[in-house]
């Protein structure tokens, strides 16, 4: 019997802020429990440290340059196969509850059921302009006001959304339990994708009160702006951090709210795991917990994401379920590896692929086997840079390249905070040269830059037309037919009661 698959996805969750990854005070009992009983990946990366590009790579198993998924307003083309398409072909009932930041008229991308709307716009409004890379777009660029307003609230648009996502996901899973009770045995695959702990850093009181200010540490790595690499300096300007100072009190409040929202997300993980237990499917379900990217949260003076330092580019990745052994692996991997992993879980081979993919299956590592591949590839092609930024993480080294900037290379085993750039250390000259050659062979940076600029121009033109009234909006509105819900006159109420009761009533 094929196992079910449930992927629980956070937004902007750096693994550094989870208990299982070593945070001293983070309260993440549900994530920690899954990690304790399963496989924890300690060097998992996103393929682009920004929401939409990362998610498109995750869904397609392809790097962003291959599918033109450059930024948060890049169209995810309907012709690009996703793991949802493949799993449906392999007999799974598929569902998306929550955020995936699809841009374009296709808002399902292979999911049979999509049971909530998205939280972000699906049009071309958030298109950067690489011909004016230093200009801020105040309507949607990050800024320091978000940090300054961190704190407590009874409700936010984010908690409204995640409560809906969690409720819808649990109800969909209970319906699968009802199906099982009525003899339907098809496996299911669900992605439950939450917005937390993404900024704004505002938490509900019950989660805020799990922590106190004196528990919150200030960022460990501090680098003066004048000593930052050029890309970091551009990021500082872009998010206003270079000229809007933050007090220690403001930084602590933001980091406390972030941890509170990590715990809130953890509670959603627990609710979904409990629901799988309630429908008696926990033993036959592969659970994967991950995120689309991390959050700097003040490390190096940076906030949010959009760079390839560890807090931004690394993601939690935990497997739990049938065939998964207990342990942790240090092999570098990334979100493009999820698609081939799910294909292997579902019994699919390479013959099913409609397009080439860039990942490899992580099941051997999850089974405790050795994997010779120890690599993650990253590409950043969005705002606050005039050229593509590339990352190669291989073994214990990370190499970062952007054409106008000096290269960066770090030994993460010896320098986890990435304070010592080895790119100009003669001892490592052969490493740097090999990485440099590999970058030039992998990417044509100048051509990619021109391609990106051309798509930006076309998308801005289309967005202007759409704002003027051309076409219908693409934002997803889940269909709902009230005539088929609960008790209606086309069926006896006892039939409805029998369908909705789970577990079914058994006469003595």
């Amino acid at each position: 019997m094929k196992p079910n698959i449930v992927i629980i996805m956070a937004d902007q969750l750096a693994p550094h802020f989870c208990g299982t990854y070593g945070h001293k005070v983070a309260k993440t009992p549900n994530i920690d429990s899954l990690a304790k009983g399963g496989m924890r990946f300690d060097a998992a990366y996103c393929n682009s440290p920004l929401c939409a590009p990362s998610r498109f790579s995750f869904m397609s198993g392809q790097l962003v340059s291959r599918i033109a998924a450059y930024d948060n307003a890049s169209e995810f083309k309907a012709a690009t196969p996703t793991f949802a398409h493949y799993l449906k072909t392999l007999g799974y009932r598929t569902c998306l509850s929550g955020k995936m930041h699809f841009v374009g008229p296709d808002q399902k991308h292979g999911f049979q059921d999509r049971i909530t709307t998205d939280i972000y716009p699906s049009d071309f409004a958030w298109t950067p302009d690489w011909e004016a890379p230093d200009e801020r777009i105040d309507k949607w660029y990050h800024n320091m006001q978000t940090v300054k307003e961190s704190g407590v609230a009874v409700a936010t648009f984010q908690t409204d959304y995640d409560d809906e996502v969690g409720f819808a996901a649990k109800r969909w899973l209970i319906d699968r339990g009802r199906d099982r009770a009525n003899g339907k045995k098809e496996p299911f695959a669900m992605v439950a994708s939450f917005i937390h702990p993404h900024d704004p850093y505002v938490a509900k009181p019950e989660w805020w009160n799990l922590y106190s200010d004196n528990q919150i540490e200030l960022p460990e790595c501090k680098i003066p702006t004048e000593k930052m690499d050029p890309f970091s300096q551009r990021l500082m300007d872009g998010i206003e951090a270079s000229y809007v100072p933050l007090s220690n009190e403001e930084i602590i409040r933001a980091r406390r709210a972030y941890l509170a929202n990590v715990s809130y997300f953890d509670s959603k993980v627990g609710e979904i795991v409990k629901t799988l237990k309630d429908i008696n499917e926990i033993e036959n379900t592969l659970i994967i917990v991950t995120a689309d990217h991390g959050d700097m949260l003040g490390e190096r003076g940076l906030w949010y994401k959009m760079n390839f330092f560890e807090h931004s580019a690394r993601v939690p990745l935990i497997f739990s379920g049938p065939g998964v052994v207990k342990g942790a692996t240090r092999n570098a991997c990334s979100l493009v590896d999820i698609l081939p992993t799910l294909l292997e879980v579902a019994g699919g081979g390479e013959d099913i692929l409609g397009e080439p993919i860039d990942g490899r299956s992580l099941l051997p590592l999850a089974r405790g086997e050795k994997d010779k591949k120890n690599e993650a590839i990253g590409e950043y092609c969005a705002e606050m840079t005039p050229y593509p930024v590339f990352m190669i993480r291989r073994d214990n080294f990370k190499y970062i390249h952007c054409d106008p900037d000096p290269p960066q290379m770090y030994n993460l085993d010896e320098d986890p905070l990435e304070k010592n750039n080895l790119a100009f250390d003669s001892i490592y000259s052969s490493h740097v040269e090999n990485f440099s050659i590999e970058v030039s062979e992998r990417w044509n940076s100048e051509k990619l830059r021109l391609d990106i600029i051309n798509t930006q121009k076309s998308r801005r033109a289309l967005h202007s037309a759409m704002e003027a009234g051309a076409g219908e909006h693409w934002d997803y509105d889940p269909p709902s037919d009230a005539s088929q819900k609960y008790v209606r006159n086309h069926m006896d109420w006892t039939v409805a009661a029998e369908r909705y009761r789970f577990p079914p009533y058994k006469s003595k």
Side-chain angles (χ1 to χ4, degrees):
M1 184 177 180
K2 293 181 180 180
N4 308 308
I5 298 164
V6 171
I7 300 174
I8 309 172
M9 196 171 205
D11 195 326
Q12 207 161 295
L13 173 57
H16 309 71
F17 296 96
C18 297
T20 186
Y21 283 97
H23 196 279
K24 296 176 184 177
V25 299
K27 295 177 175 62
T28 51
N30 298 294
I31 296 173
D32 297 352
S33 177
L34 290 173
K36 185 177 180 181
M39 181 59 66
R40 188 188 70 210
F41 292 79
D42 289 350
Y45 289 82
C46 64
N47 301 103
S48 189
L50 195 66
C51 296
S54 176
R55 291 163 182 272
F56 299 173
S57 281
F58 160 72
M59 290 291 305
S60 67
Q62 301 184 62
L63 296 173
V64 299
S65 62
R66 190 193 289 273
I67 56 174
Y70 303 129
D71 53 61
N72 275 345
S74 289
E75 182 180 3
F76 192 23
K77 297 177 182 176
T80 302
T82 70
F83 64 69
H85 289 112
Y86 294 135
L87 291 176
K88 185 58 191 170
T89 301
L90 292 167
Y92 280 72
R93 178 156 186 173
T94 57
C95 172
L96 170 61
S97 180
K99 174 184 174 177
M100 203 49 70
H101 208 147
F102 292 146
V103 175
D106 185 353
Q107 287 293 305
K108 296 185 78 173
H109 288 281
F111 287 108
Q112 180 178 355
D113 302 323
R114 187 168 189 191
I115 53 179
T116 70
T117 188
D118 213 306
I119 194 167
Y120 284 164
S122 58
D123 59 20
F124 298 139
W126 293 4
T127 304
D129 185 356
W130 274 16
E131 293 181 306
D134 296 328
E135 291 184 9
R136 276 189 50 81
I137 304 174
D138 286 325
K139 186 176 180 179
W140 54 268
Y141 265 27
H142 286 279
N143 59 57
M144 288 298 95
Q145 192 61 33
T146 300
V147 179
K148 288 180 174 293
E149 293 177 358
S150 302
V152 193
V154 171
T156 66
F157 73 88
Q158 291 177 276
T159 57
D160 283 2
Y161 185 75
D162 277 354
D163 286 346
E164 178 184 349
V165 170
F167 174 80
K170 290 184 291 181
R171 185 165 61 179
W172 189 88
L173 288 172
I174 290 171
D175 278 343
R176 303 292 71 75
R178 290 167 173 148
D179 288 344
R180 292 284 197 275
N182 284 284
K184 294 181 181 179
K185 301 298 183 182
E186 66 178 343
F188 57 80
M190 184 183 75
V191 178
S193 183
F194 299 89
I195 186 68
H196 280 91
H198 192 292
D199 61 283
Y201 308 118
V202 181
K204 288 186 175 184
E206 58 265 41
W207 304 107
W208 173 267
N209 291 334
L210 287 178
Y211 302 92
S212 60
D213 285 354
N214 60 14
Q215 291 179 300
I216 308 303
E217 295 181 346
L218 289 166
E220 189 174 358
C221 183
K222 298 179 180 179
I223 297 179
T225 305
E226 63 273 12
K227 292 187 177 181
M228 288 182 172
D229 62 279
F231 182 46
S232 292
Q233 291 177 352
R234 291 194 296 270
L235 286 176
M236 291 287 285
D237 291 343
I239 64 174
E240 300 181 341
S242 57
Y243 53 89
V244 177
L246 298 172
S247 67
N248 285 347
E249 180 185 2
E250 289 170 329
I251 295 171
I252 286 172
R253 191 165 65 240
R255 288 167 71 91
R256 177 177 173 180
Y258 182 90
L259 276 175
N261 285 333
V262 172
S263 294
Y264 170 76
F265 167 73
D266 180 80
S267 75
K268 300 301 183 186
V269 174
E271 290 173 8
I272 291 174
V273 170
K274 180 181 182 300
T275 305
L276 288 168
K277 292 177 180 177
D278 289 343
I279 64 171
N280 300 314
E281 292 293 331
I282 191 70
E283 299 297 329
N284 190 44
T285 300
L286 172 65
I287 301 173
I288 299 175
V289 177
T290 191
D292 56 354
H293 51 74
D295 193 326
M296 294 303 291
L297 218 67
E299 297 292 338
R300 310 177 73 91
L302 297 169
W303 291 82
Y304 318 120
K305 55 270 187 175
M306 299 168 285
N307 64 77
F308 283 113
F309 295 117
E310 289 289 275
H311 278 76
S312 168
R314 266 186 59 202
V315 296
L317 184 61
I318 295 163
F319 285 21
S320 177
V324 179
V325 302
K326 299 178 183 179
T329 175
R330 297 183 64 197
N331 281 60
C333 60
S334 66
L335 292 178
V336 292
D337 299 325
I338 297 298
L339 184 146
T341 302
L342 299 185
L343 286 192
E344 185 176 353
V345 169
E350 291 186 2
D351 57 308
I352 199 175
L353 293 174
E355 292 181 359
I357 59 173
D358 294 304
R360 91 274 193 183
S361 174
L362 299 179
L363 272 193
L365 288 171
R367 292 191 294 258
E369 302 167 10
K370 291 186 177 180
D371 184 355
K372 292 181 179 179
K373 198 160 189 179
N374 190 356
E375 175 186 280
I377 304 297
E379 304 169 330
Y380 181 75
C381 304
E383 57 263 26
M384 303 179 203
T385 179
Y387 273 82
V389 185
F390 307 119
M391 179 204 75
I392 302 173
R393 164 71 200 269
R394 185 174 295 116
D395 300 325
N396 55 316
F397 288 100
K398 179 196 287 184
Y399 185 79
I400 303 172
H401 173 93
C402 181
D403 276 7
D405 301 337
Q408 300 175 69
M409 190 180 79
Y410 302 97
N411 184 333
L412 295 176
D413 282 355
E414 298 177 358
D415 180 25
L417 295 178
E418 300 166 289
K419 291 183 176 181
N420 186 19
N421 182 8
L422 303 175
F424 303 98
D425 188 328
S426 59
I427 297 175
Y428 296 95
S429 58
S430 61
H431 286 80
V432 175
E433 182 180 3
N434 289 337
F435 276 126
S436 178
I437 292 171
E438 182 175 349
V439 166
S440 65
E441 291 175 345
R442 276 183 177 270
W443 294 283
N444 183 334
S445 182
E446 189 61 45
K447 180 181 182 301
L448 179 57
R449 178 176 182 269
L450 294 176
D451 289 343
I452 291 166
I453 290 173
N454 287 335
T455 71
Q456 291 174 350
K457 287 180 177 179
S458 65
R459 286 181 282 142
R460 285 198 302 274
L462 289 169
H463 177 62
S464 295
M466 293 173 72
E467 281 197 315
E472 301 294 328
H473 69 79
W474 297 331
D475 298 302
Y476 186 70
D477 189 12
S480 178
D481 184 358
S483 70
Q484 300 299 312
K485 289 184 176 180
Y486 306 117
V487 178
R488 294 294 187 266
N489 289 330
H490 66 283
M491 68 170 67
D492 191 297
W493 73 269
T494 58
V495 175
E498 182 180 0
R499 159 65 184 168
Y500 279 97
R501 180 167 177 164
F502 185 84
Y505 174 73
K506 294 181 180 179
S507 58
K508 297 179 181 179

